Amino acid sequence: MCGIVGYTGPGNSVHSIIEGLSRLEYRGYDSAGICLKIDNELQILKKEGKLENLKKLINEQKPFSHTGIGHTRWATHGAVTTDNAHPHGNELFAVVHNGIIENAGALKKELLAEGFLFKSQTDSEVFLVLLTKFFKQSNNVLQSISKAFSTITGNSAFVIIEKASDKLYCIKRSAPLVVGDNKETREAFVSSDPFALIGFAPCIYFPQDSVICVSSVSDAEVSVNFYELDLKPSTRYKLQSNAMTMDTTTKGSYEHFMLKEIHEQASLIDHLAAYYIKNEGRKILDELKNLKTAGWHLTACGTAWHAGLVIKNYFEQINRQPASVDIASEFRYKNPILNKDEIGLFISQSGETADTLACQELCKERGIPAFSIVNVEGSTLFRNSDKNFLIHAGVEIGVASTKAFTLQVLTGFLMSRSIQATLDDSNLFTEIQLLSARIAELCSDTKLIKEIAQKIYNKKGFIFTGRGKYFPIALEGALKLKEIAYVHAEGYAAGELKHGPIALIDEHIVNIAIVGPELLEKTVSNIEEVKARRGRMVVVGPQNSPEIEQLSDHYIPLNFEGLPNLSPIYVNVALQFLAYHIAKLKGTDIDKPRNLAKSVTVE
Ligand code: F6R
């Protein structure tokens, strides 16, 4: 969701804020804005559309300021317009916001009745107006922040600057927010993501919910202070060094981050296997040995939910332990049956997805242990978990998740294997090595997939099918295609096609069928059914299978040999390439598809 950056210090805040926003733009790109304290005034520059538009404005005006805040927006309340872009400011304060103020409608009515005016349709401005109202009553900034924050409901993070000082104030509830400082350069920073602060702030503070953080800089030092809502000093924060590195922030020689991230997968698989089997990660997996549970409750959203569907198969087939997988936004409202001898497993790349976090909270309230498969160390999900299984994917910048899926599934597989047997089994290591080698091979020659993309990209609709362990991959293949190529795509269990969706099939529709060596004959009959209705058939199937190849219009041969458990990951990489090349032909914005944002921190 929205990206937030704040700066105060001796340098020009514009540089760090714009650099930070550029790194966070993948989180929201409907509009962008910056507020700078210049000559004791708060000056706001904002623009509808991508950050590029704001950068142009800044290049024309070349502002200089020691204190400022910036924002890239993913619209929730209010259309995508320059007026609704953040920051929102008045004669006293300026505010940037990530999240949703749930009672904004009612509060706005009251404030309008009291004579306050609004310049935008956003819920965020309600916080600004409340803050101003309370400040006019008390003349005390901290007290006003506390009162305004206590008045609003919903999950949000705010960064505030004022005309009267160079302080940066911030506060959050169930939304990501970090504060950073650099003692040597006497600079302080705030952001919705430590990623924005790489190279700027060696130390990062993670405040807990409802803690007001105040950063200030003097000639002698930089200080960060924390307060409870009753304004007593707070110790509810964690201090951590920022271990992330910069090489993750560039595309290198790749045209898109998505393409770079697809290509990274083979070596990330090797690293993850080494980490969990041979290095530090081994300890945490060994703790799972002989773990007994009455059942697993997996919850996640989107691509992470698809990873959960693959992992469920591992728990059921390898461990014979019951596992349910729910979409997080469904699970949290369905009053789930949770028993104390069960385990909640939450899967998330960002570790900040609001619905997944709510499920974790629910499980914890009901007294069942919370485990996570997560990428971002230090994220909210990570901090609130009883056990974390990190996927070590590095920063994923492409909004469409690729490498995170691969490593989530692999981590789930390793968890399942370590419950059942020792990780020293050489077959296990061999299968993982084979997987990375096959993916590397696939990456080295994508000519065929590109040619197929060229032949089908203009078709009206795409139906992905797969059976058993490939059914989640059909769902994931369809999701990837629709989100980056803006075409209609659906994933179905292959055997389900004839129960309805087959009505859609004609010469304008493409069926992308995943055919593993398992249940091959059954899937072949499904292909025949589609062919009989003139559907265009793309098959991803075992190499050296002339019978299926003949049936298909286009065939992507894969070597399934030696991958009894991990072939879904392998097949998925082929579909990632197919989606990528179709999107390229369609000319869409592959790394920042319309209407989307990385890390969905609103419900
Ligand atoms: C799709 C995609 C999303 C995310 C979902 C969950 O490509 O990226 O569907 O998988 O929003 O995000 P995380 O994993 O951060 O919880």
Side-chain angles (χ1 to χ4, degrees):
M1 295 284 110
C2 309
I4 292 179
V5 185
Y7 171 96
T8 186
N12 187 357
S13 61
V14 179
H15 296 149
S16 336
I17 295 173
I18 293 298
E19 172 59 26
L21 291 182
S22 308
R23 294 185 202 166
L24 298 188
E25 201 191 2
Y26 69 109
R27 284 173 163 258
Y29 30 82
D30 290 335
S31 58
I34 188 164
C35 179
L36 304 168
K37 195 183 153 222
I38 300 176
D39 297 334
N40 287 326
E41 293 296 330
L42 296 174
Q43 190 183 327
I44 293 177
L45 298 170
K46 52 190 187 180
K47 271 285 185 197
E48 185 183 325
K50 298 221 164 112
L51 185 61
E52 215 39 56
N53 300 346
L54 176 69
K55 282 186 185 166
K56 272 191 205 136
L57 196 65
I58 287 174
N59 277 343
E60 282 158 24
Q61 304 203 2
K62 304 205 178 347
F64 185 97
S65 159
H66 293 301
T67 303
I69 50 179
H71 188 271
T72 57
R73 178 170 187 241
W74 187 81
T76 57
H77 285 56
V80 178
T81 62
T82 299
D83 281 346
N84 288 337
H86 297 220
H88 296 284
N90 57 25
E91 69 293 354
L92 293 171
F93 299 103
V95 167
V96 285
H97 171 219
N98 174 24
I100 292 181
I101 301 176
E102 285 176 351
N103 54 347
L107 289 170
K108 189 166 175 175
K109 249 192 209 161
E110 286 172 27
L111 290 163
L112 283 169
E114 289 169 36
F116 289 96
L117 298 176
F118 287 80
K119 295 182 220 159
S120 76
Q121 288 95 48
T122 63
D123 54 340
S124 318
E125 199 183 359
V126 171
F127 183 79
L128 171 75
V129 174
L130 278 175
L131 178 66
T132 310
K133 169 181 156 175
F134 294 134
F135 183 75
K136 285 185 174 159
Q137 292 164 0
S138 66
N139 211 24
N140 181 322
V141 184
L142 283 186
Q143 206 181 88
S144 309
I145 292 175
S146 165
K147 253 182 129 174
F149 190 72
S150 309
T151 307
I152 58 159
T153 57
N155 299 336
S156 286
F158 297 95
V159 186
I160 304 136
I161 53 172
E162 58 172 341
K163 195 172 116 173
S165 82
D166 276 298
K167 290 178 180 161
L168 281 178
Y169 301 89
C170 63
I171 189 162
K172 64 134 193 151
R173 185 187 300 127
S174 294
L177 189 76
V178 293
V179 178
D181 67 9
N182 187 329
K183 304 260 185 287
E184 250 172 54
T185 56
R186 285 185 298 107
E187 294 174 301
F189 307 85
V190 180
S191 180
S192 47
D193 190 330
F195 179 44
L197 306 188
I198 300 172
F200 295 129
C203 283
I204 303 280
Y205 302 85
F206 291 89
Q208 288 183 25
D209 281 358
S210 307
V211 172
I212 307 174
C213 320
V214 187
S215 312
S216 54
V217 167
S218 70
D219 288 344
E221 58 170 14
V222 47
S223 60
V224 184
N225 294 298
F226 301 89
Y227 302 93
E228 295 295 336
L229 289 177
D230 61 6
L231 308 191
K232 293 200 177 112
S234 173
T235 51
R236 290 193 304 119
Y237 62 88
K238 267 192 195 151
L239 178 61
Q240 214 174 285
S241 63
N242 195 357
M244 289 186 185
T245 57
M246 285 295 289
D247 61 342
T248 44
T249 61
T250 61
K251 287 192 284 233
S253 57
Y254 293 98
E255 198 177 339
H256 295 100
F257 278 106
M258 182 182 177
L259 190 61
K260 177 184 175 217
E261 288 160 5
I262 294 174
H263 279 266
E264 279 170 4
Q265 294 176 109
S267 70
L268 287 170
I269 288 170
D270 291 336
H271 280 125
L272 194 73
Y275 170 78
Y276 276 122
I277 299 175
K278 300 189 169 152
N279 299 322
E280 316 92 272
R282 176 65 184 252
K283 196 168 154 275
I284 178 131
L285 279 191
D286 279 345
E287 285 168 17
L288 294 182
K289 194 159 168 40
N290 298 325
L291 176 112
K292 299 268 178 295
T293 176
W296 294 88
H297 292 281
L298 282 68
T299 51
C301 302
T303 288
W305 175 64
H306 298 153
L309 292 170
V310 184
I311 296 169
K312 166 190 158 81
N313 283 337
Y314 295 138
F315 288 140
E316 290 184 345
Q317 300 310 318
I318 300 176
N319 311 109
R320 303 307 284 169
Q321 291 178 345
S324 64
V325 194
D326 279 276
I327 294 171
S329 55
E330 292 294 315
F331 182 83
R332 58 182 296 198
Y333 296 114
K334 75 171 194 186
N335 191 13
I337 301 167
L338 298 170
N339 298 310
K340 294 249 178 325
D341 48 0
E342 295 170 331
I343 298 172
L345 177 61
F346 310 93
I347 307 168
S348 173
Q349 186 285 123
S350 62
E352 300 293 353
T353 299
D355 285 316
T356 309
L357 293 177
C359 296
Q360 184 190 41
E361 211 175 301
L362 179 68
C363 287
K364 291 193 83 161
E365 271 166 25
R366 303 269 193 96
I368 79 163
F371 291 9
S372 302
I373 295 182
V374 60
N375 190 29
V376 180
E377 194 170 355
S379 59
T380 310
L381 189 73
F382 177 93
R383 293 199 305 280
N384 295 339
S385 289
D386 299 304
K387 274 189 201 298
N388 279 298
F389 299 89
L390 283 165
I391 64 167
H392 291 292
V395 180
E396 191 179 59
I397 297 199
V399 165
S401 188
T402 51
K403 59 179 179 175
F405 174 87
T406 290
L407 298 165
Q408 284 160 351
V409 173
L410 182 60
T411 304
F413 172 62
L414 287 167
M415 287 170 69
S416 162
R417 284 298 297 256
S418 49
I419 293 169
Q420 204 58 22
T422 165
L423 291 171
D424 295 318
D425 176 357
S426 65
N427 291 337
L428 172 77
F429 209 64
T430 310
E431 183 171 357
I432 298 174
Q433 278 181 321
L434 264 186
L435 174 72
S436 79
R438 298 271 161 78
I439 291 176
E441 200 183 323
L442 196 57
C443 291
S444 70
D445 183 6
T446 54
K447 191 165 160 265
L448 174 69
I449 298 181
K450 260 191 231 170
E451 280 167 11
I452 296 175
Q454 180 73 50
K455 302 230 165 75
I456 60 172
Y457 80 99
N458 263 333
K459 292 282 170 188
K460 197 170 95 195
F462 298 81
I463 297 182
F464 289 70
T465 50
R467 272 176 190 273
K469 59 186 169 196
Y470 305 111
F471 171 45
I473 305 306
L475 296 175
E476 174 58 11
L479 175 63
K480 221 68 330 164
L481 186 62
K482 66 185 130 190
E483 70 183 322
I484 64 167
Y486 315 156
V487 293
H488 190 75
E490 295 295 340
Y492 280 100
E496 186 65 11
L497 213 57
K498 56 186 165 300
H499 296 284
I502 201 161
L504 292 170
I505 302 287
D506 63 19
E507 66 275 26
H508 306 296
I509 299 290
V510 182
N511 177 197
I512 298 166
I514 306 165
V515 182
E518 312 82 0
L519 294 168
L520 195 115
E521 285 82 24
K522 293 257 178 282
T523 316
V524 169
S525 354
N526 300 139
I527 298 176
E528 306 257 27
E529 288 154 16
V530 173
K531 286 299 299 172
R533 285 152 185 92
R534 291 178 296 132
R536 182 69 79 94
M537 216 49 240
V538 175
V539 177
V540 185
Q543 62 183 18
N544 307 322
S545 304
E547 189 202 352
I548 324 174
E549 201 166 340
Q550 231 173 23
L551 273 179
S552 337
D553 297 297
H554 310 286
Y555 195 67
I556 303 176
L558 295 180
N559 182 358
F560 286 80
E561 202 78 13
L563 298 175
N565 302 290
L566 298 175
S567 55
I569 299 179
Y570 175 42
V571 172
N572 190 52
V573 177
L575 298 186
Q576 290 171 349
F577 275 119
L578 189 64
Y580 174 82
H581 288 295
I582 292 178
K584 241 188 107 177
L585 290 159
K586 291 260 177 196
T588 59
D589 188 343
I590 291 180
D591 282 335
K592 298 190 199 98
R594 69 184 181 201
N595 306 338
L596 294 178
K598 196 89 177 159
S599 185
V600 183
T601 53
V602 295
E603 298 161 49

Short mmCIF file of all heavy atoms in Angstrom, two decimals, residues 306 462 464 474-491 579 582-583 588 593-594 596:
data_model
loop_
_atom_site.label_atom_id
_atom_site.label_comp_id
_atom_site.label_asym_id
_atom_site.label_seq_id
_atom_site.Cartn_x
_atom_site.Cartn_y
_atom_site.Cartn_z
N HIS A 306 -2.09 -19.30 -2.77
CA HIS A 306 -1.80 -20.41 -3.69
C HIS A 306 -0.63 -21.25 -3.17
O HIS A 306 -0.65 -22.48 -3.27
CB HIS A 306 -1.47 -19.88 -5.10
CG HIS A 306 -2.61 -19.14 -5.72
ND1 HIS A 306 -2.44 -18.16 -6.66
CD2 HIS A 306 -3.96 -19.24 -5.51
CE1 HIS A 306 -3.63 -17.69 -7.02
NE2 HIS A 306 -4.55 -18.32 -6.33
N PHE A 462 -8.41 -16.81 -21.14
CA PHE A 462 -7.44 -17.88 -20.86
C PHE A 462 -7.96 -18.72 -19.69
O PHE A 462 -8.26 -18.18 -18.63
CB PHE A 462 -6.08 -17.28 -20.51
CG PHE A 462 -5.50 -16.48 -21.64
CD1 PHE A 462 -5.91 -15.16 -21.88
CD2 PHE A 462 -4.55 -17.04 -22.50
CE1 PHE A 462 -5.39 -14.42 -22.94
CE2 PHE A 462 -4.03 -16.30 -23.56
CZ PHE A 462 -4.45 -14.99 -23.77
N PHE A 464 -6.77 -21.71 -17.28
CA PHE A 464 -5.66 -22.56 -16.83
C PHE A 464 -6.24 -23.76 -16.11
O PHE A 464 -7.12 -23.60 -15.26
CB PHE A 464 -4.76 -21.79 -15.85
CG PHE A 464 -3.93 -20.71 -16.47
CD1 PHE A 464 -4.52 -19.55 -16.95
CD2 PHE A 464 -2.56 -20.84 -16.57
CE1 PHE A 464 -3.76 -18.53 -17.53
CE2 PHE A 464 -1.78 -19.84 -17.14
CZ PHE A 464 -2.38 -18.69 -17.63
N ALA A 474 -2.44 -23.82 -11.51
CA ALA A 474 -3.38 -23.27 -12.50
C ALA A 474 -3.95 -21.95 -11.96
O ALA A 474 -4.07 -20.96 -12.70
CB ALA A 474 -4.51 -24.27 -12.77
N LEU A 475 -4.28 -21.93 -10.68
CA LEU A 475 -4.80 -20.69 -10.09
C LEU A 475 -3.75 -19.58 -10.13
O LEU A 475 -4.03 -18.44 -10.48
CB LEU A 475 -5.21 -20.92 -8.62
CG LEU A 475 -6.36 -21.90 -8.38
CD1 LEU A 475 -6.57 -22.13 -6.88
CD2 LEU A 475 -7.65 -21.37 -9.00
N GLU A 476 -2.53 -19.95 -9.78
CA GLU A 476 -1.45 -18.96 -9.74
C GLU A 476 -1.09 -18.46 -11.15
O GLU A 476 -0.86 -17.27 -11.36
CB GLU A 476 -0.23 -19.57 -9.02
CG GLU A 476 1.03 -18.73 -9.00
CD GLU A 476 0.89 -17.35 -8.36
OE1 GLU A 476 -0.15 -17.07 -7.72
OE2 GLU A 476 1.82 -16.53 -8.52
N GLY A 477 -1.08 -19.39 -12.12
CA GLY A 477 -0.78 -19.00 -13.51
C GLY A 477 -1.81 -17.99 -14.01
O GLY A 477 -1.47 -16.99 -14.65
N ALA A 478 -3.08 -18.24 -13.68
CA ALA A 478 -4.14 -17.34 -14.12
C ALA A 478 -4.03 -15.99 -13.41
O ALA A 478 -4.20 -14.93 -14.03
CB ALA A 478 -5.51 -17.97 -13.83
N LEU A 479 -3.72 -16.01 -12.14
CA LEU A 479 -3.59 -14.75 -11.39
C LEU A 479 -2.47 -13.90 -11.98
O LEU A 479 -2.63 -12.70 -12.22
CB LEU A 479 -3.33 -15.03 -9.90
CG LEU A 479 -3.05 -13.79 -9.04
CD1 LEU A 479 -4.26 -12.86 -9.00
CD2 LEU A 479 -2.67 -14.17 -7.61
N LYS A 480 -1.33 -14.54 -12.24
CA LYS A 480 -0.18 -13.80 -12.77
C LYS A 480 -0.56 -13.16 -14.09
O LYS A 480 -0.27 -12.01 -14.32
CB LYS A 480 0.98 -14.79 -12.95
CG LYS A 480 2.34 -14.36 -12.60
CD LYS A 480 2.72 -14.10 -11.18
CE LYS A 480 1.73 -13.64 -10.22
NZ LYS A 480 2.04 -13.74 -8.83
N LEU A 481 -1.23 -13.93 -14.95
CA LEU A 481 -1.57 -13.39 -16.27
C LEU A 481 -2.54 -12.23 -16.15
O LEU A 481 -2.36 -11.19 -16.76
CB LEU A 481 -2.14 -14.50 -17.15
CG LEU A 481 -2.41 -14.10 -18.59
CD1 LEU A 481 -1.13 -13.68 -19.29
CD2 LEU A 481 -3.08 -15.22 -19.37
N LYS A 482 -3.59 -12.40 -15.33
CA LYS A 482 -4.58 -11.31 -15.28
C LYS A 482 -3.99 -10.06 -14.66
O LYS A 482 -4.26 -8.96 -15.09
CB LYS A 482 -5.91 -11.73 -14.66
CG LYS A 482 -5.95 -12.10 -13.23
CD LYS A 482 -7.38 -12.59 -12.87
CE LYS A 482 -7.30 -13.91 -12.15
NZ LYS A 482 -8.55 -14.57 -11.96
N GLU A 483 -3.13 -10.22 -13.65
CA GLU A 483 -2.67 -9.01 -12.99
C GLU A 483 -1.66 -8.22 -13.82
O GLU A 483 -1.64 -7.00 -13.76
CB GLU A 483 -2.17 -9.26 -11.56
CG GLU A 483 -0.88 -10.02 -11.42
CD GLU A 483 -0.51 -10.29 -9.97
OE1 GLU A 483 -0.72 -9.42 -9.12
OE2 GLU A 483 0.01 -11.39 -9.71
N ILE A 484 -0.84 -8.89 -14.62
CA ILE A 484 0.14 -8.09 -15.37
C ILE A 484 -0.26 -7.86 -16.83
O ILE A 484 0.24 -6.94 -17.45
CB ILE A 484 1.58 -8.66 -15.28
CG1 ILE A 484 1.70 -10.04 -15.92
CG2 ILE A 484 2.09 -8.64 -13.86
CD1 ILE A 484 3.16 -10.45 -16.10
N ALA A 485 -1.14 -8.72 -17.39
CA ALA A 485 -1.49 -8.54 -18.81
C ALA A 485 -2.89 -7.96 -18.98
O ALA A 485 -3.30 -7.65 -20.09
CB ALA A 485 -1.38 -9.86 -19.57
N TYR A 486 -3.62 -7.81 -17.88
CA TYR A 486 -4.99 -7.26 -17.91
C TYR A 486 -5.89 -8.05 -18.86
O TYR A 486 -6.63 -7.47 -19.66
CB TYR A 486 -5.02 -5.78 -18.32
CG TYR A 486 -4.00 -4.87 -17.67
CD1 TYR A 486 -3.61 -3.69 -18.29
CD2 TYR A 486 -3.46 -5.14 -16.42
CE1 TYR A 486 -2.69 -2.83 -17.71
CE2 TYR A 486 -2.54 -4.29 -15.83
CZ TYR A 486 -2.16 -3.14 -16.49
OH TYR A 486 -1.25 -2.30 -15.92
N VAL A 487 -5.78 -9.37 -18.85
CA VAL A 487 -6.69 -10.18 -19.67
C VAL A 487 -7.47 -11.09 -18.74
O VAL A 487 -7.02 -11.38 -17.62
CB VAL A 487 -5.93 -11.05 -20.71
CG1 VAL A 487 -5.28 -10.18 -21.75
CG2 VAL A 487 -4.92 -11.97 -20.05
N HIS A 488 -8.61 -11.53 -19.22
CA HIS A 488 -9.40 -12.40 -18.36
C HIS A 488 -8.78 -13.80 -18.32
O HIS A 488 -8.53 -14.41 -19.35
CB HIS A 488 -10.85 -12.48 -18.83
CG HIS A 488 -11.68 -13.17 -17.81
ND1 HIS A 488 -12.05 -12.54 -16.64
CD2 HIS A 488 -12.11 -14.44 -17.72
CE1 HIS A 488 -12.71 -13.40 -15.89
NE2 HIS A 488 -12.76 -14.56 -16.52
N ALA A 489 -8.53 -14.28 -17.13
CA ALA A 489 -7.93 -15.61 -16.98
C ALA A 489 -8.51 -16.26 -15.73
O ALA A 489 -8.74 -15.59 -14.72
CB ALA A 489 -6.41 -15.49 -16.85
N GLU A 490 -8.75 -17.56 -15.81
CA GLU A 490 -9.31 -18.30 -14.66
C GLU A 490 -8.53 -19.58 -14.48
O GLU A 490 -8.08 -20.18 -15.45
CB GLU A 490 -10.77 -18.70 -14.91
CG GLU A 490 -11.74 -17.56 -15.04
CD GLU A 490 -11.90 -16.77 -13.76
OE1 GLU A 490 -11.58 -17.29 -12.67
OE2 GLU A 490 -12.32 -15.61 -13.85
N GLY A 491 -8.41 -20.01 -13.25
CA GLY A 491 -7.78 -21.30 -12.99
C GLY A 491 -8.84 -22.30 -12.55
O GLY A 491 -9.71 -21.97 -11.74
N ALA A 579 3.24 -15.48 -18.70
CA ALA A 579 2.52 -14.25 -18.32
C ALA A 579 3.37 -13.03 -18.64
O ALA A 579 2.87 -12.04 -19.20
CB ALA A 579 2.18 -14.29 -16.82
N ILE A 582 3.40 -12.40 -22.46
CA ILE A 582 2.10 -11.91 -22.95
C ILE A 582 1.93 -10.44 -22.54
O ILE A 582 1.53 -9.59 -23.33
CB ILE A 582 0.94 -12.80 -22.43
CG1 ILE A 582 1.02 -14.19 -23.06
CG2 ILE A 582 -0.41 -12.16 -22.73
CD1 ILE A 582 -0.03 -15.19 -22.60
N ALA A 583 2.28 -10.14 -21.28
CA ALA A 583 2.15 -8.76 -20.79
C ALA A 583 3.03 -7.81 -21.61
O ALA A 583 2.63 -6.70 -21.94
CB ALA A 583 2.50 -8.69 -19.32
N THR A 588 1.81 -3.54 -21.21
CA THR A 588 1.36 -3.07 -19.88
C THR A 588 2.57 -2.67 -19.03
O THR A 588 3.71 -2.95 -19.38
CB THR A 588 0.60 -4.19 -19.15
OG1 THR A 588 1.50 -5.29 -19.02
CG2 THR A 588 -0.63 -4.62 -19.90
N PRO A 593 1.61 -2.94 -12.25
CA PRO A 593 0.33 -3.06 -12.95
C PRO A 593 -0.72 -2.12 -12.34
O PRO A 593 -0.68 -1.84 -11.15
CB PRO A 593 -0.08 -4.51 -12.73
CG PRO A 593 1.07 -5.19 -12.09
CD PRO A 593 2.01 -4.17 -11.58
N ARG A 594 -1.63 -1.69 -13.22
CA ARG A 594 -2.64 -0.71 -12.77
C ARG A 594 -3.45 -1.24 -11.58
O ARG A 594 -3.68 -2.45 -11.47
CB ARG A 594 -3.56 -0.34 -13.93
CG ARG A 594 -4.45 -1.48 -14.36
CD ARG A 594 -5.28 -1.13 -15.56
NE ARG A 594 -6.12 -2.26 -15.91
CZ ARG A 594 -6.66 -2.46 -17.08
NH1 ARG A 594 -6.46 -1.61 -18.06
NH2 ARG A 594 -7.43 -3.51 -17.30
N LEU A 596 -2.98 -1.93 -8.67
CA LEU A 596 -2.41 -2.82 -7.65
C LEU A 596 -1.39 -2.09 -6.80
O LEU A 596 -0.97 -0.99 -7.11
CB LEU A 596 -1.72 -4.01 -8.31
CG LEU A 596 -2.61 -4.97 -9.07
CD1 LEU A 596 -1.77 -6.06 -9.72
CD2 LEU A 596 -3.63 -5.61 -8.14
#
